[in-house]
């Protein structure tokens, strides 16, 4: 039986997070997971276990910045937004991704 | 600034951790809300949310790991872990800590001495610019010079800010009811300019006060101000009395000031126009100068040589044969102690090195025992770095605990040093202060790295669990361990050889025939001063009267005076001429001024001629005594008795006395001329030969002098034997300390040999058991391990001997009548080390063979 995985592919999580934050200026971690899920039409599910380490790592890289704030439901949450450096990174990652899918697609088509 | 954040995160990791937890629980709360919105019950929603999220704890840690690479937490965890691991094996921990405490304690103590005596500058402003000025002549070597010459140097030299002179003498302080001894320094003009210190109260001396017949003036020390005047703020209106004269107090020196020595009470002005300061041959003045800013030592030396050349043409008779000598004041004060201190420091560092090697070996063995633990940690995903770091933390914890204990040990050792070597210069400066603690800290780090690095590297090299059970993979040869043992043995051989040479020197010194009998002789002084009598003959009469009266006292057999004690280092060589022998070559001999009774008091035999008579005029005698060395070297074909010897005025040689080790019991007797004059100075040293314990004569002497000279103080009562002992206390201390270091080193090395071989045996006990079971001879097995151990020991001993020979030259100046390569000593040391090491080898080797093979095999 073939394995079906709809968890986000390793290495693409950063791309998805950056893309999500690029169009939504200020989101908390939970909102990021739901946005990705929604935007993919429930095809992709962010593995929650890897989200927060990834967010913190990206913040260390300077792609994101974060601050504490309150949600509509008046809960304390940490909100993330993309930085200029993050936007550059997004462009680069999109290119990589395009190249990857193009390459994989060609292989699948020709072989 | 992500790196800054990282750093900040490291420091405030607890806050970050809290934040991470809040962020994660928010996530779960939102998820629960969503699930409930889809109609799940609250408990079900919570359960599903948690399940989906996984372990919060693991999440938290992983998130935090993204934040910080090496956090304080990790360090604390490592330390906690290390403490726990060490507490599990208290025997090991205590052994290591004690070894380090002793090693680092001794090291810190010696360093504190080096720091105080050699490294720290003297307590004066720009103290490195202060120099001692002396003169060197062909015949007498380096000696103090004449005051007038120092005045000339000050006037003519351009490279000095100022040059001054001083002499110190104990005087009788009659300010109070009872006469007391006060230490007085008579200082030249510009003294305060040279030392760079102003009086804390009052002023320095005026030019008039530096002239004969000028106003009397005295500067007093802070200690004396306290002792005598209770810190009276109006002390400047008061006077002190010396014998029968008053001196106006013009100032009080600061408490920190103590030059030429810490015990000076009074500084009084030198009279620049007095006959004794204007005499170019009256060489008893200490010169000290301050170099001008920017002037190097070399420049000052050349400048002074130029000045002296000028003086030589002006005063050819007195000034042409001498060269000025410029020495940094600190070097001049520290002198001979330098070599001893570095020797001690070197050996104590070698000892610490041995201790480190020992601990490294212990850690290695421990690492081998912990293979299983390490392998488990690898299996659980630990990185090699984190395992090595963990092991290094253990040695760091050990080093730190050892250092703290070591500082306590150092404090004890320091105190012992003070008691054992009271003559050490600048001893009062020795303390365990910030600088010393920084040194200890630095050595702690070094020790932790030395001890821990190799074992940590080694022990973290076993990445699979299998090796913990695969016995065959354990190398029983352990070349690294044996190398460490070899290093220990070699270093301890070097230390032992040094110690043994010093011991043999000391032994020879104690057996040497000095030519005189120091037992039952008491030495003391009676206060007095130049210029206290209008005519010097009064002083001569006073001293002779004192000698005669004291000799009448019960319990006292004879009394004498001398300028310097026999058997103590020091002495002045002078140039003489024998009037009757027309020889060109000058005669040099030690000149000592003694009363005629000196030879009787010290039991020095008169070999030929007769004893000189006591002179009664104020210039001293016209008769001298010479020793046998003088007679046999300079007067070969006739008797020396009756000849005339001339330095300034011709003196008749009245007799020849036996050779005495006058200038130090470690020096061969040299040709000596005894000037028979009991009052060469107003404050000669008195010697009294007593019946029985010399200390019993102290009270009779005091009471006699109270009756005879009520205004004078009597002080410095010390038996002659003890004086000589004290003069060589530094030798003895050095030897005692070095012997204890060497023996400690030897025992550490033997422990190393024993431990390593025991371990090798324990690793191979199964193999041994099997071999015995199969019929191998037990002797064969003992022999096998004996050879293994002794081979290492013997090659290490050879290396150690080579190292000793390499260091031998540096040692030779500290040895007495023994060569630094003395074969008997080195041979003895070799035998001792091999014998002791053989025992350390034999025990585990024998134990290997006597175990019942069945027992061993069953245990496996």
């Amino acid at each position: 039986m073939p394995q079906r995985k709809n968890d986000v592919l390793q290495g693409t999580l950063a791309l998805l997070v950056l893309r999500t934050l690029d169009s939504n200026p200020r989101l908390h971690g939970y909102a990021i997971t739901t946005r990705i899920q929604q935007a993919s039409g429930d095809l992709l599910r962010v593995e929650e276990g890897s989200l927060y380490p990834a967010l913190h790592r990206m913040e260390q890289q300077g792609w994101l910045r974060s601050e504490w704030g309150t949600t509509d439901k008046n809960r304390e949450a940490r909100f993330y937004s993309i930085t200029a450096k993050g936007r550059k990174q997004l462009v680069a990652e999109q290119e990589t991704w395009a190249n990857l899918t193009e390459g994989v697609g060609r292989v699948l088509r020709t072989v | 600034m992500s790196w800054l954040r990282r750093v900040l995160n490291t420091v405030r990791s607890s806050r970050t951790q809290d934040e991470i937890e809040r962020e994660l629980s928010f996530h779960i709360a939102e998820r629960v809300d969503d699930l409930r919105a889809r109609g799940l019950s609250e408990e079900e929603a919570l359960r599903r949310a948690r399940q989906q999220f996984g372990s919060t704890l693991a999440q938290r840690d992983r998130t935090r790991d993204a934040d910080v690479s090496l956090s304080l937490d990790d360090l604390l965890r490592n330390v906690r872990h290390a403490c726990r691991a060490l507490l599990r094996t208290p025997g090991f921990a205590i052994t290591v800590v004690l070894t380090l405490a002793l090693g680092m304690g001794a090291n810190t103590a010696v360093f504190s001495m080096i720091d105080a005596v050699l490294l720290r500058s003297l307590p004066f402003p720009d103290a490195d610019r202060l120099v001692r000025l002396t003169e060197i002549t062909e015949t007498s070597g380096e000696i103090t010079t004449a005051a007038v010459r120092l005045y000339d140097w000050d006037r003519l030299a351009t490279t000095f800010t100022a040059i001054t002179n001083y002499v110190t003498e104990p005087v009788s302080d009659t300010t109070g009811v009872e006469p007391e001894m006060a230490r007085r320094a008579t200082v030249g003009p510009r003294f305060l300019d040279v030392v760079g210190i102003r009086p804390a109260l009052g002023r320095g001396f005026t030019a008039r006060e530096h002239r004969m017949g000028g106003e009397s003036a005295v500067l007093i020390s802070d200690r004396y101000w306290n002792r005598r005047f209770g810190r009276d703020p109006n002390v400047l209106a008061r006077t002190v009395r010396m014998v029968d004269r008053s001196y106006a107090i013009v100032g009080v020196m600061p408490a920190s000031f103590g030059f030429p020595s810490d015990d000076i009470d009074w500084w009084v002005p030198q009279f620049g126009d007095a006959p004794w300061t204007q005499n170019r041959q009256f060489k008893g003045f200490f010169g000290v100068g301050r170099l001008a800013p920017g002037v190097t030592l070399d420049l000052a030396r050349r400048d002074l040589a130029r000045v002296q050349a000028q003086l030589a043409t002006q005063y050819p008779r007195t000034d042409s044969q001498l060269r000025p000598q410029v020495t940094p004041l600190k070097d001049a004060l520290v002198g001979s102690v330098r070599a001893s201190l570095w020797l001690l420091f070197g050996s104590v560092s070698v000892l610490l090195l041995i201790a480190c090697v020992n601990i490294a070996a212990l850690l290695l063995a421990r690492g081998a025992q912990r293979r299983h633990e390490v392998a488990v940690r690898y299996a659980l995903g630990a990185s090699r770095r984190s395992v090595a770091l963990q092991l290094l933390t253990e040695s760091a914890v050990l080093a730190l605990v050892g250092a703290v204990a070591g500082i306590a040990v150092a404090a004890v050792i320091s105190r012992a040093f003070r008691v054992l070597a009271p003559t050490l210069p600048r001893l009062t400066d020795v303390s365990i202060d910030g600088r010393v603690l920084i040194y200890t800290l630095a050595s702690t780090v070094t020790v932790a790295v030395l001890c821990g690095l190799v074992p940590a590297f080694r022990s973290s090299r076993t990445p699979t669990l299998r090796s913990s059970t695969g016995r065959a993979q354990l190398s029983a040869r352990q070349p690294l361990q044996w190398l460490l043992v070899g290093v220990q043995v070699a270093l301890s051989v070097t230390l032992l050889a040094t110690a043994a040479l010093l011991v043999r020197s000391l032994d020879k010194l104690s057996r040497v025939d000095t030519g005189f009998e120091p037992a039952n002789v008491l030495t003391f002084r009676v206060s007095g001063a130049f210029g206290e009598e209008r005519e010097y003959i009064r002083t001569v009469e006073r001293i002779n009267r004192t000698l005669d009266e004291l000799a009448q006292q019960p319990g006292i057999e004879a009394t004498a005076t001398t300028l310097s004690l026999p058997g103590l280092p020091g002495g002045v060589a002078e140039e003489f001429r024998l009037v009757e022998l027309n020889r060109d070559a000058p005669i040099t001999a030690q000149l000592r001024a003694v009363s005629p009774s000196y030879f009787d008091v010290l039991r020095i035999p008169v070999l030929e001629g007769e004893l000189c008579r006591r002179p009664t005029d104020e210039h001293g005698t016209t008769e001298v005594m010479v020793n046998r060395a003088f007679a046999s070297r300079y007067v070969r074909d006739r008797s020396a008795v009756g000849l005339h010897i001339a330095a300034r005025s011709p003196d008749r040689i009245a007799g020849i006395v036996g050779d005495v080790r006058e200038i130090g019991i470690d020096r061969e007797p040299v040709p000596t001329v005894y000037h028979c004059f009991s009052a060469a100075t107003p404050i000669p040293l008195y010697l009294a030969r007593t019946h029985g314990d010399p200390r019993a004569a102290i009270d009779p002497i005091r009471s006699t002098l109270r009756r005879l000279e009520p205004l004078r103080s009597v002080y410095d009562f010390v038996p002659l034997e003890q004086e000589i002992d004290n003069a060589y206390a530094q030798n003895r201390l050095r030897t005692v300390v070095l012997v204890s270091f060497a023996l400690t080193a030897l025992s550490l090395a033997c422990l190393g040999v024993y431990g390593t071989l025991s371990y090798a045996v324990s690793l191979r006990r199964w193999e041994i058991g099997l071999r015995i079971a199969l019929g191998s001879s037990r002797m064969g097995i003992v022999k096998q391990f004996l050879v293994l151990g002794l081979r290492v020991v013997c090659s290490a001993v050879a290396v150690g001997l080579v190292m000793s020979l390499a260091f031998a030259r540096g040692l030779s100046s500290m040895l007495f009548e023994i060569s630094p390569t003395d074969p008997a000593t080195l041979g003895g040391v070799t035998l001792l080390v091999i014998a002791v090491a053989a025992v350390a080898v034999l025990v585990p080797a024998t134990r290997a063979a006597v175990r019942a093979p069945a027992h061993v095999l069953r245990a496996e």
Side-chain angles (χ1 to χ4, degrees):
Chain A
M1 190 178 123
Q3 274 193 334
R4 287 189 68 95
K5 278 185 75 175
N6 59 355
D7 280 354
V8 169
L9 203 63
Q10 273 260 301
T12 57
L13 181 59
L15 171 61
L16 297 179
V17 169
L18 288 172
R19 180 67 190 86
T20 310
L21 285 173
D22 190 32
S23 40
N24 302 277
R26 198 165 168 270
L27 289 177
H28 51 69
Y30 187 73
I32 294 174
T33 55
T34 51
R35 272 309 146 80
I36 292 176
Q37 213 168 326
Q38 279 168 17
S40 69
D42 273 343
L43 277 177
L44 297 178
R45 193 168 57 84
V46 176
E47 202 226 317
E48 300 177 12
S50 38
L51 176 67
Y52 288 95
L55 284 174
H56 283 241
R57 204 173 302 118
M58 288 161 75
E59 194 181 350
Q60 297 286 1
Q61 308 274 10
W63 302 341
L64 307 183
R65 66 171 160 267
S66 72
E67 64 200 333
W68 284 93
T70 43
T71 63
D72 315 337
K73 283 184 256 174
N74 215 16
R75 276 205 181 111
E76 285 252 299
R78 194 167 185 159
F79 287 91
Y80 292 88
S81 26
I82 193 166
T83 63
K85 202 175 167 190
R87 292 218 162 78
K88 266 188 221 154
Q89 183 64 24
L90 175 58
V91 174
E93 297 235 346
Q94 272 173 331
E95 229 167 79
T96 316
W97 176 250
N99 288 342
L100 179 69
T101 46
E102 171 69 21
V104 172
R106 276 189 199 168
V107 171
L108 292 180
R109 279 195 301 274
T110 52
V111 173
Chain B
M1 284 297 209
S2 65
W3 63 267
L4 185 66
R5 250 188 106 140
R6 241 169 220 255
V7 172
L8 282 179
N9 277 344
T10 317
V11 180
R12 19 158 257 217
S13 69
S14 60
R15 207 185 119 202
T16 324
Q17 194 147 324
D18 179 49
E19 278 185 33
I20 294 168
E21 253 160 41
R22 272 161 68 205
E23 193 174 9
L24 298 184
S25 50
F26 163 77
H27 188 104
I28 291 175
E30 288 285 303
R31 170 73 70 204
V32 168
D33 282 0
D34 266 10
L35 291 172
R36 282 184 63 199
R38 280 192 237 156
L40 264 69
S41 74
E42 177 146 8
E43 300 95 87
E44 184 59 16
L46 196 63
R47 202 186 59 77
R48 289 268 298 272
R50 290 236 171 97
Q51 196 179 32
Q52 203 167 343
F53 197 72
S55 154
T56 335
L57 222 63
Q59 289 292 338
R60 193 193 66 194
D61 285 354
R62 284 180 57 202
T63 311
R64 197 199 50 194
D65 284 351
D67 279 352
V68 290
S69 49
L70 170 73
S71 72
L72 213 58
D73 272 6
D74 285 344
L75 184 64
L76 285 177
R77 202 182 51 223
N78 272 344
V79 169
R80 241 187 343 255
H81 193 101
C83 291
R84 235 180 296 144
L86 290 173
L87 286 178
R88 263 204 309 271
T89 48
F92 167 80
I94 289 172
T95 311
V96 172
V97 165
L98 275 186
T99 310
L100 280 179
L102 288 176
M104 295 180 70
N107 201 277
T108 300
V110 175
F111 177 78
S112 71
M113 289 213 289
I114 297 240
D115 183 49
V117 178
L118 301 182
L119 302 183
R120 221 172 302 172
S121 54
L122 299 171
F124 307 112
D126 296 321
D128 56 328
R129 311 217 55 79
L130 292 181
V131 290
R132 164 155 293 173
L133 300 170
T134 49
E135 60 174 59
I136 286 193
T137 65
E138 287 292 315
T139 47
S140 59
E142 184 179 358
I143 53 169
T144 52
T145 182
V148 63
R149 194 164 298 118
L150 287 161
Y151 288 131
D152 289 341
W153 288 350
D154 181 44
R155 193 163 40 81
L156 299 170
T158 55
T159 51
F160 288 82
T161 304
I163 291 174
T164 191
N165 69 78
Y166 62 85
V167 284
T168 61
E169 58 204 329
V171 292
S172 191
D173 170 17
T174 50
T175 313
V177 186
E178 289 273 311
E180 278 178 30
M181 193 268 289
R183 300 261 171 206
R184 183 182 77 170
T186 308
V187 301
R190 317 200 61 187
F191 178 75
L192 294 182
D193 294 339
V194 170
V195 293
I197 305 262
R198 310 310 313 173
L201 210 65
R203 58 167 176 86
F205 302 123
T206 64
R208 272 184 62 80
E209 286 160 356
H210 275 295
R211 282 203 294 274
M212 280 181 100
E215 292 87 6
S216 74
V218 63
L219 279 166
I220 59 172
S221 74
D222 186 85
R223 216 164 43 106
Y224 185 80
W225 182 34
N226 195 31
R227 186 176 79 209
R228 177 67 80 189
F229 299 110
R231 309 195 84 78
D232 174 11
N234 296 320
V235 71
L236 296 187
R238 303 177 68 161
T239 55
V240 297
R241 285 182 69 77
M242 189 187 80
V243 191
D244 54 352
R245 250 179 276 170
S246 292
Y247 293 81
I249 297 171
V250 298
V252 180
M253 294 306 284
S256 59
F257 181 73
F259 187 77
S261 62
D262 280 334
D263 56 1
I264 297 291
D265 300 304
W266 299 345
W267 290 267
V268 299
Q270 177 81 264
F271 301 139
D273 51 355
W276 59 89
T277 54
Q278 284 299 318
N279 184 336
R280 301 196 79 81
Q281 283 182 305
F282 196 72
K283 301 174 176 183
F285 296 85
F286 292 92
V288 55
R290 175 176 286 274
L291 298 181
V295 169
T296 61
L297 212 53
D298 198 43
L299 201 63
R301 283 182 179 139
R302 278 196 307 242
D303 182 38
L304 218 51
R306 174 189 62 81
V307 167
Q308 186 56 38
Q310 201 177 322
L311 292 174
T313 51
Q314 203 172 342
Y315 310 101
R317 199 174 60 83
T318 54
D319 278 55
S320 58
Q321 295 301 315
L322 60 93
R323 281 178 293 123
Q325 179 81 355
V326 185
T327 322
L329 185 61
K330 197 170 85 179
D331 294 357
L333 291 181
V334 171
S336 66
V337 182
R338 182 184 297 268
S340 287
L341 279 183
W342 284 119
L343 174 74
L344 278 191
F345 188 62
S347 43
V348 83
S349 299
V350 168
L351 185 64
L352 184 58
L353 194 63
I354 293 177
C356 284
V357 171
N358 207 299
I359 290 163
L362 282 176
L363 283 170
L364 266 180
R366 181 179 159 84
Q369 286 160 12
R370 286 168 67 183
R371 270 157 193 253
H372 187 76
E373 178 195 332
V374 169
V376 167
R377 292 192 59 191
Y378 277 124
L380 292 177
S383 68
R384 178 165 186 194
R385 182 166 151 275
S386 72
V387 170
L389 218 60
Q390 166 63 48
L391 294 173
L392 256 183
T393 309
E394 253 174 52
S395 48
V397 167
L398 287 171
L400 202 67
V401 177
V404 171
I407 287 167
V409 172
V412 175
I413 296 178
S414 277
R415 200 161 308 148
F417 277 154
R418 276 184 213 214
V419 176
L420 289 171
T423 53
L424 201 68
R426 306 184 72 190
L427 190 70
T428 46
D429 296 349
V430 176
S431 63
I432 309 246
D433 59 3
R435 286 163 60 106
V436 175
L437 291 185
I438 287 172
Y439 170 81
T440 311
L441 197 68
S443 45
T444 307
V445 173
T446 318
V447 163
V449 171
L450 276 180
C451 295
L453 209 55
V454 172
F457 196 72
R458 250 306 178 80
S459 307
S460 61
R461 209 168 63 179
T462 325
T464 60
L465 256 178
R466 281 184 55 199
S467 67
S468 69
T469 49
R471 174 158 294 103
Q473 289 176 25
L474 284 179
S475 160
R477 285 180 48 237
Q478 311 137 314
L480 184 61
Q481 264 100 331
W482 282 116
L483 180 70
L484 293 182
V485 168
V487 169
Q488 286 182 315
V489 173
L491 288 174
S492 46
V493 165
T494 312
L495 271 188
L496 265 178
T498 310
L501 287 168
L502 289 179
V503 167
R504 294 207 53 199
S505 290
L506 208 61
D507 179 55
K508 293 206 166 190
L509 197 57
S510 71
R511 288 156 195 267
V512 76
D513 176 20
T514 57
F516 64 96
E517 273 181 34
N520 292 340
V521 174
L522 185 66
T523 74
F524 57 97
R525 283 184 194 267
V526 178
S527 65
F530 278 107
E532 67 181 7
E533 299 282 358
R534 213 159 292 276
E535 294 159 48
Y536 196 73
I537 187 70
R538 302 278 160 264
T539 300
V540 178
E541 284 165 7
R542 163 177 70 80
I543 288 172
N544 284 337
R545 189 171 59 238
T546 305
L547 282 179
D548 293 343
E549 285 282 336
L550 286 177
Q552 302 298 315
Q553 297 309 308
I556 296 178
E557 196 185 308
T559 54
T561 56
T562 173
L563 274 192
S564 39
L565 291 175
L568 265 57
V572 184
E574 286 223 2
E575 201 166 294
F576 298 94
R577 199 162 47 79
L578 276 167
V579 178
E580 287 81 2
L581 303 181
N582 237 340
R583 296 196 343 177
D584 289 335
I587 289 171
T588 60
Q590 284 286 316
L591 177 65
R592 309 192 69 97
V594 300
S595 69
S597 49
Y598 178 81
F599 307 101
D600 182 28
V601 168
L602 290 176
R603 303 275 194 262
I604 302 169
V606 178
L607 303 174
E608 216 184 309
E610 52 199 29
L611 195 63
C612 54
R613 280 159 303 173
R614 175 191 279 180
T616 44
D617 69 326
E618 86 169 67
H619 300 295
T621 183
T622 52
E623 283 191 339
V624 298
M625 303 294 280
V626 297
N627 65 354
R628 185 158 53 185
F630 182 98
S632 56
R633 179 172 315 174
Y634 297 125
V635 195
R636 283 205 196 83
D637 38 2
R638 56 182 287 187
S639 169
V641 178
L643 295 183
H644 285 78
I645 190 168
R648 283 148 227 159
S649 61
D651 301 316
R652 183 178 166 272
I653 297 176
I656 299 172
V657 294
D659 285 342
V660 171
R661 290 179 180 256
E662 288 274 7
I663 55 171
I665 54 172
D666 53 346
R667 303 272 298 271
E668 286 288 334
V670 290
T672 306
V673 173
Y674 294 94
H675 201 83
C676 293
F677 190 25
S678 51
T681 155
I683 36 161
L685 277 152
Y686 288 75
L687 302 174
R689 174 160 293 278
T690 58
H691 304 293
D693 181 15
R695 292 188 180 277
I698 295 178
D699 281 337
I701 291 173
R702 272 192 198 286
S703 61
T704 309
L705 269 148
R706 200 172 302 134
R707 174 169 56 80
L708 217 58
E709 304 277 350
L711 287 182
R712 296 188 187 277
S713 46
V714 202
Y715 56 92
D716 280 0
F717 286 101
V718 188
L720 180 58
E721 269 186 318
Q722 195 186 323
E723 285 274 14
I724 294 171
D725 249 27
N726 286 347
Y728 293 90
Q730 192 204 327
N731 283 10
R732 208 173 37 233
L733 175 67
R734 183 171 72 192
T735 310
V736 168
V737 170
L738 216 69
V739 166
S740 60
F741 287 172
L743 291 180
T744 314
L746 181 62
S747 32
L748 282 177
C750 284
L751 270 181
V753 172
Y754 172 81
T756 309
L757 196 68
S758 297
Y759 184 61
V761 166
S762 83
L763 284 183
R764 295 169 66 173
R765 61 186 183 274
W766 193 78
E767 172 209 319
I768 297 165
L770 195 62
R771 276 166 57 190
I772 293 178
L774 294 177
S776 233
S777 99
R778 287 171 198 262
M779 272 315 287
I781 285 167
V782 173
K783 204 177 133 203
Q784 179 200 345
F785 282 102
L786 212 56
V787 167
L788 173 68
L790 281 181
R791 207 170 44 206
V792 175
V793 169
C794 289
S795 26
V797 167
V799 172
L801 282 177
V802 171
M803 288 198 295
S804 320
L805 292 179
F807 296 140
R809 266 191 38 206
L811 198 63
S812 55
S813 71
M814 299 177 201
L815 299 181
F816 174 70
E817 287 187 355
I818 189 164
S819 148
T821 55
D822 181 59
T825 311
L826 296 185
V829 166
T830 308
L831 283 182
L832 175 71
V833 172
I834 292 181
V836 176
V839 175
V841 167
L842 203 57
V843 173
T846 321
R847 212 164 39 200
V850 296
R851 261 215 212 102
H855 183 73
V856 175
L857 293 175
R858 209 178 306 126
E860 296 299 313

